[in-house]
Amino acid sequence: MDDEWTRRVWPPATRDDAARSDAARGGVIRGDAVRDGPDEDLPPSARWYGTPAPPPRRMPRWVVRLIVGTLASAAAGTVIGVLVVTVMSRAEGRPSGTVTDPLAGVAYDLPSGWQEAVVAPVTGFTSAAVNDGRVAVMARRGERADPADPRPAVVGLTDVYARLLLHGDKIDVVDDRAVTAGSRRGYTRALRAEYRDTVNEPAFLRVTLLLDAEGASTVLLGMAHPDEPASRADIDALMAGVR
């Protein structure tokens, strides 16, 4: 039979099949398919694609861990540095010296070491000043009250904020009197809260209500935790200087 009808058509002949066929017929394959010498003992894949090269040496695991740790530390240091610069920039750009609150209708000077708060710690207040997270004074517009007798309104506000903020086991009234700030008269009331547990130190709360002749009012709320003489003095001085 003609060789054209006897050769294998499926599966397709491979290059190895062709090499063996030509070798059997004494032919020589073009290129480097068949070589004399040491390569004759190699498998067909090595004769076609060359002698396998040894794989590259992998780095020891401790070296990989060292590199990863170094990169992670450098990245963390970069992030921390950016945060520090951002916080310092915001602190430097924050207004200091005087807080002006047109919604509450007041302005007040900051004692040494105080800063204007970005957001008031208690909802409803439109401005606030803080000192090291331990002392705060806030302001907001209040309800209309009787200019001739503002004490009942102040007592009611003090009770509300004492329940909301102090949660004391024992609460004592430490101040209760009429006040004047600028051209406005008003009333102030202060509480001291104590706790039975040994973790919470005593806290101080002062509520001051300032009124104009028509009865429009401004509420000032001061808090200190722990209660210390210096913190009380700062709260009293700030409220007394409201204008």
Side-chain angles (χ1 to χ4, degrees):
M1 242 184 219
D2 194 305
D3 186 54
E4 178 182 359
W5 301 102
T6 59
R7 66 170 179 247
R8 184 176 61 183
V9 295
W10 188 262
T14 64
R15 302 177 75 177
D16 291 343
D17 295 335
R20 284 192 294 271
S21 176
D22 289 345
R25 292 194 302 267
V28 178
I29 299 177
R30 292 186 302 270
D32 297 331
V34 178
R35 298 186 182 95
D36 294 331
D39 290 346
E40 293 180 354
D41 296 331
L42 295 176
S45 61
R47 290 198 299 270
W48 282 106
Y49 302 108
T51 304
R57 294 183 57 186
R58 299 181 58 184
M59 287 188 294
R61 291 185 178 180
W62 68 268
V63 175
V64 175
R65 287 195 295 266
L66 179 60
I67 294 174
V68 172
T70 302
L71 293 176
S73 300
T78 301
V79 172
I80 293 172
V82 170
L83 289 176
V84 170
V85 171
T86 302
V87 171
M88 293 299 293
S89 300
R90 289 182 178 177
E92 292 174 359
R94 184 176 300 156
S96 62
T98 301
V99 176
T100 302
D101 187 347
L103 295 177
V106 295
Y108 45 94
D109 296 327
L110 301 180
S112 177
W114 285 62
Q115 289 182 319
E116 182 180 1
V118 177
V119 179
V122 178
T123 302
F125 287 87
T126 52
S127 65
V130 295
N131 181 12
D132 196 27
R134 299 177 296 109
V135 193
V137 171
M138 293 160 272
R140 69 172 177 84
R141 178 67 70 180
E143 303 294 330
R144 298 188 68 84
D146 183 2
D149 186 17
R151 185 178 185 276
V154 175
V155 171
L157 287 171
T158 306
D159 291 343
V160 169
Y161 287 120
R163 290 195 301 269
L164 178 65
L165 302 173
L166 292 182
H167 305 287
D169 298 308
K170 179 185 177 184
I171 298 180
D172 297 322
V173 178
V174 295
D175 194 12
D176 189 287
R177 57 187 168 85
V179 295
T180 300
S183 61
R184 286 180 288 188
R185 303 179 65 182
Y187 208 90
T188 188
R189 184 176 174 89
L191 308 177
R192 185 177 192 269
E194 296 180 357
Y195 306 89
R196 295 192 185 98
D197 59 72
T198 59
V199 177
N200 284 306
E201 299 180 83
F204 176 78
L205 172 71
R206 179 179 291 283
V207 176
T208 298
L209 188 67
L210 300 177
L211 300 99
D212 60 17
E214 288 75 29
S217 68
T218 297
V219 179
L220 302 175
L221 172 65
M223 280 199 65
H225 187 227
D227 177 22
E228 296 175 345
S231 299
R232 287 196 192 189
D234 280 350
I235 292 174
D236 293 347
L238 192 153
M239 290 186 176
V242 168
R243 55 191 183 277

